[in-house]
Amino acid sequence: MDKYTKVEKAKEPTPFGTVRISATGRVGMYITYAASLFEGKKAVAAEGDKPAEAAVAALDTIKIQATGNALPSAVQVVEILKRRIKGLHQTASLSSTEITDEFEPKEEGLDKVTKTKTVSVMEIVLSKKALDKKHIGYQAPLPDDQVEELTAEELQERGARKSRPKGAKKPKGKGKGKGKGAKGKGKGKGKGKGEAAKPAKPAPEEKKTRGRGGAGAKGAGKGSAKTEEKPARGRGKGRGRGK
């Protein structure tokens, strides 16, 4: 397919109240936006260069949509929302759809190529109002003791705090690794010196003492003692007798 380029399709606008999850998007961003739909927004007056913002009514029901590789992210967004907003009913439906991609040739004489693939589609409805309990994908709200209520702003702040330590942990990990490596090297050197020093000390001492004592001290001492004592005694006796 090096000789073809993919034809970009026009993206359909997302209806208000629907959150479309993509595999490359940040989960925290989707959570904050979905929470803001439940809360609504107050009108903001114009200030300086900032234009005025109209009020946005709070919604009781929103939809989470995802396709293909984005399905796990959609499930994660829903599970976190249910643990941050009390009383959320849920229904989920799974289906499939066909997507056709067109490729145009870069060279003359080649025809257009089309590829069709089947992808999974998930749609989850979250509502503060009761939903159809007979729906195959219905889930009742979680107990209140399992929900920690947070506003959209608090969710955004928490997400920012969680993202900071990740960058801060990397240098700490490197520092620990270097410290351990340094300790290991120090221990290795210390052991090496200690082991080399232990046999080295007695060896030269023994050689020196034996050399000095054996060849010089012991040999000379014993030999001189024997050779010197006998003549000394003999001389002493002889001298005494002579006198």
Side-chain angles (χ1 to χ4, degrees):
M1 299 299 291
D2 294 338
K3 297 181 180 180
Y4 292 86
T5 56
K6 185 178 179 180
V7 179
E8 296 295 334
K9 296 180 181 180
K11 293 183 179 180
E12 296 180 3
T14 303
F16 181 69
T18 300
V19 182
R20 284 183 179 170
I21 311 295
S22 69
T24 57
R26 291 180 57 191
V27 172
M29 180 183 66
Y30 295 127
I31 294 170
T32 303
Y33 176 64
S36 67
L37 293 176
F38 281 116
E39 291 180 5
K41 191 176 182 181
K42 296 180 180 179
V44 179
E47 184 180 354
D49 297 335
K50 295 181 180 180
E53 296 181 7
V56 179
L59 300 179
D60 292 326
T61 304
I62 67 170
K63 292 181 180 180
I64 309 291
Q65 295 179 345
T67 59
N69 295 332
L71 265 61
S73 298
V75 173
Q76 185 178 0
V77 170
V78 170
E79 290 302 319
I80 292 176
L81 287 172
K82 289 166 62 178
R83 285 163 174 75
R84 298 294 176 262
I85 301 173
K86 289 183 178 180
L88 286 184
H89 297 261
Q90 172 187 338
T91 58
S93 58
L94 188 64
S95 60
S96 61
T97 186
E98 288 187 351
I99 298 176
T100 302
D101 295 326
E102 293 183 359
F103 298 86
E104 290 184 347
K106 298 178 181 179
E107 301 176 1
E108 294 182 0
L110 298 176
D111 297 330
K112 287 185 178 180
V113 176
T114 59
K115 284 189 174 184
T116 303
K117 60 182 178 180
T118 303
V119 296
S120 300
V121 180
M122 178 183 285
E123 182 175 277
I124 301 174
V125 178
L126 294 176
S127 179
K128 292 182 177 181
K129 296 180 179 181
L131 297 175
D132 184 9
K133 294 183 180 180
K134 294 181 180 179
H135 192 285
I136 191 172
Y138 174 79
Q139 292 185 19
L142 294 175
D144 291 348
D145 59 352
Q146 296 183 19
V147 180
E148 180 188 0
E149 284 193 300
L150 294 175
T151 64
E153 186 177 354
E154 289 171 340
L155 285 169
Q156 187 176 9
E157 290 177 357
R158 178 172 288 191
R161 287 199 302 269
K162 285 182 178 180
S163 60
R164 286 171 190 168
K166 289 182 180 179
K169 285 180 181 178
K170 289 181 180 179
K172 287 182 181 179
K174 288 180 181 178
K176 288 179 181 178
K178 288 180 180 178
K180 288 180 180 178
K183 289 179 181 178
K185 288 179 182 178
K187 288 179 180 178
K189 289 180 181 178
K191 286 179 181 179
K193 288 180 181 179
E195 289 173 2
K198 286 178 182 178
K201 287 181 180 178
E205 286 177 4
E206 287 177 3
K207 288 179 183 180
K208 290 178 182 180
T209 51
R210 285 176 183 176
R212 291 176 184 176
K218 288 182 180 181
K222 287 179 181 180
S224 59
K226 289 178 182 180
T227 52
E228 288 176 4
E229 282 176 4
K230 287 178 181 180
R233 288 177 184 174
R235 288 177 185 177
K237 288 177 182 180
R239 284 179 186 178
R241 287 177 183 179
K243 289 178 181 179

